Amino acid sequence: VLSCLGDHGGPSALSRKGTYLYSMQQNEADIIALNKSDTLSPPILETALALLHRNFPRARCIPVSARTG
């Protein structure tokens, strides 16, 4: 199940159509950016990137932060 994190860090469920659309976009992506990476602890960031790499092995998965670059 795909979910996104809101500003409060809690999961917000996506509709089935939205989940399907995100999945298709990620499956075809060359790059997947994990935004707001500065708000995650190092272990959580490592876990999130590992999950992205495992689920989307073709894509380059990168952490991104507007605050720290």
Side-chain angles (χ1 to χ4, degrees), residues 11-54:
S12 60
L14 299 174
S15 70
R16 288 180 197 239
K17 190 174 184 178
T19 299
Y20 174 77
L21 180 61
Y22 270 141
S23 178
M24 292 306 294
Q25 288 175 336
Q26 290 170 327
N27 280 323
E28 296 182 16
D30 294 322
I31 298 172
I32 297 176
L34 179 61
N35 195 21
K36 296 189 177 186
S37 62
D38 61 304
T39 64
L40 302 174
S41 68
I44 298 294
L45 179 58
E46 279 185 46
T47 300
L49 288 172
L51 286 170
L52 286 171
H53 285 297
R54 186 176 71 214

